[in-house]
Amino acid sequence: MAADVQSRVVARVITGEISLPHAKEQMRWMEQRIAASPMRSTQCLTDDTFLQELEALADYRPQDAVIAAAPPEPEAFEPCEEMKDSPEWKKTMKISKSSSMELSDVGKKLLMNAFKDTTPKEAYDLWAETYDNDSFGETGFGFDSPNICASITAGYLSNMSPVSGEKLIRLLDVGCGTGMLTRLVRERLANGMNGMVDVKGFDLSEKMLEIARRDEGLLSDVVCHSLSDTPWPYADASFDVAMCNGVLIYIDDNFGGVMDEFARVLRPGGYAVLMIREDNYDNWGEHMDRLEKERAWRLMECTEPRDNFLNAANDEGEAIVWYRMYSFQRL
């Protein structure tokens, strides 16, 4: 029966007779069914009743389907006076949506590509002391993706228990920088849950890591290491979740090797939460797909495109960077 329902739904989707609900709606529905299952497990997802309900959920015409929304129209904005008078700023076509955006000198130079001849390590070493305020402060960029990444990651962690023989749930912060992403995750976890999550991280900027080390108890261990230098300094299947935000754009080679590392360090059943910029997808898409074909992991969620810097835009009021968040479960 289960196979019949699955085949019928797939056939109707392929022919265009029905459209599946948005991924977020499907995930929400599955979570509700799992929670209602006596065993609170994914076993219920193969039950006949569950699959018939899935078919009913999908049973509407394509014209009624929820289509992934196009990027929203940018809100009208007026650049602040300081930016209006800056020829360098105008030349780079990057201005502020918010008159209250005030960045550090280093943040302004980075936004205007004034450090274009420096390496990512050199740029982030210079930016370390003001990075958090420029990125997350009330007058900063309005950095969106870390909050989305943290929310997805915290959701997975909150539904986990330590594996047999372990006392803690293990999280890897890939490109952890100042530790802000881990901090956002911990803010979203219940107090009791925080004590059960051990976080390790690595980054190529020692200056950024110095900031992370100041917050005692945030990460249990941080290592200065480049993502592109594989293998990473961790054992196979040593983490329950690996998260990576705003870092993969700086990798210019070894794309397949880097993506393989996410799968390698995750235990079966663990999750990878990855932020991929739309203008960088071509470097990573084939490798994410390859790992699915190899049954190393399966795609759990892909968000709609989102504006990554909510307070910054180009001269035409358009977002500077669009991104999607991808999450995979290790098989």
Side-chain angles (χ1 to χ4, degrees):
M1 176 62 183
D4 290 342
V5 175
Q6 288 176 323
S7 299
R8 189 161 62 248
V9 170
V10 171
R12 295 174 72 194
V13 171
I14 291 174
T15 60
E17 181 182 352
I18 62 172
S19 296
L20 289 175
H22 189 277
K24 291 181 180 178
E25 184 180 350
Q26 294 183 56
M27 287 294 292
R28 187 182 309 112
W29 175 67
M30 286 190 288
E31 289 168 358
Q32 291 172 348
R33 296 305 175 275
I34 292 170
S37 168
M39 299 298 292
R40 294 185 64 83
S41 74
T42 56
Q43 181 61 41
C44 70
L45 302 186
T46 60
D47 293 345
D48 294 342
T49 301
F50 178 91
L51 289 166
Q52 288 173 329
E53 190 174 347
L54 173 60
E55 185 175 26
L57 183 66
D59 198 6
Y60 52 91
R61 300 291 175 179
Q63 59 264 32
D64 299 324
V66 177
I67 306 299
E73 288 294 323
E75 61 186 64
F77 68 93
E78 182 69 20
C80 60
E81 291 303 319
E82 179 182 359
M83 293 176 182
K84 285 182 179 178
D85 297 333
S86 169
E88 293 82 5
W89 188 276
K90 293 176 181 177
K91 184 171 63 176
T92 60
M93 294 182 66
K94 293 177 182 177
I95 56 181
S96 173
K97 288 181 187 175
S98 168
S99 61
S100 63
M101 189 171 83
E102 296 180 6
L103 304 177
S104 68
D105 289 341
V106 175
K108 290 176 183 177
K109 289 180 180 179
L110 285 167
L111 190 60
M112 294 188 293
N113 294 324
F115 291 135
K116 61 184 178 182
D117 295 327
T118 65
T119 65
K121 179 184 184 304
E122 292 168 337
Y124 278 90
D125 279 347
L126 289 170
W127 201 13
E129 290 292 340
T130 58
Y131 172 82
D132 286 353
N133 190 62
D134 282 346
S135 298
F136 305 98
E138 292 183 2
T139 60
F141 292 122
F143 205 179
D144 183 69
S145 58
N147 287 294
I148 305 303
C149 184
S151 294
I152 294 173
T153 299
Y156 288 134
L157 292 170
S158 296
N159 288 290
M160 285 183 168
S161 298
V163 297
S164 178
E166 296 282 344
K167 295 182 178 180
L168 299 172
I169 300 168
R170 301 157 298 175
L171 170 63
L172 178 62
D173 190 342
V174 179
C176 63
T178 64
M180 177 55 77
L181 184 58
T182 292
R183 189 173 295 109
L184 293 172
V185 170
R186 291 198 178 279
E187 288 175 357
R188 287 161 170 76
L189 295 174
N191 289 335
M193 191 70 194
N194 255 310
M196 296 175 58
V197 177
D198 175 68
V199 188
K200 292 179 171 57
F202 69 97
D203 196 276
L204 57 70
S205 169
E206 182 60 40
K207 295 293 186 182
M208 299 284 275
L209 294 177
E210 288 177 5
I211 306 296
R213 293 188 185 102
R214 295 175 189 172
D215 193 340
E216 186 175 351
L218 184 64
L219 295 99
S220 64
D221 182 64
V222 293
V223 177
C224 191
H225 186 88
S226 171
L227 270 73
S228 58
D229 185 4
T230 58
W232 299 340
Y234 305 103
D236 294 357
S238 53
F239 293 95
D240 299 288
V241 180
M243 60 181 182
C244 182
N245 191 88
V247 181
L248 295 177
I249 187 65
Y250 299 113
I251 305 301
D252 54 16
D253 60 8
N254 194 23
F255 303 110
V258 169
M259 199 56 62
D260 287 345
E261 284 299 281
F262 283 102
R264 182 186 68 80
V265 301
L266 285 173
R267 68 165 178 83
Y271 297 92
V273 183
L274 312 176
M275 178 273 213
I276 308 285
R277 284 175 42 158
E278 291 286 82
D279 59 356
N280 192 35
Y281 176 81
D282 288 347
N283 287 333
W284 302 104
E286 66 176 289
H287 303 294
M288 294 190 293
D289 292 345
R290 171 179 55 80
L291 287 168
E292 279 202 279
K293 292 176 182 177
E294 294 173 356
R295 296 198 57 76
W297 65 21
R298 61 175 175 173
L299 179 66
M300 297 298 291
E301 182 175 6
C302 172
T303 67
E304 297 175 3
R306 295 181 63 94
D307 181 353
N308 200 28
F309 299 115
L310 303 179
N311 291 338
N314 64 20
D315 269 346
E316 288 143 6
E318 299 168 340
I320 298 172
V321 173
W322 291 99
Y323 76 93
R324 296 177 192 252
M325 201 68 65
Y326 298 81
S327 60
F328 297 89
Q329 184 177 42
R330 185 71 164 95
L331 299 177

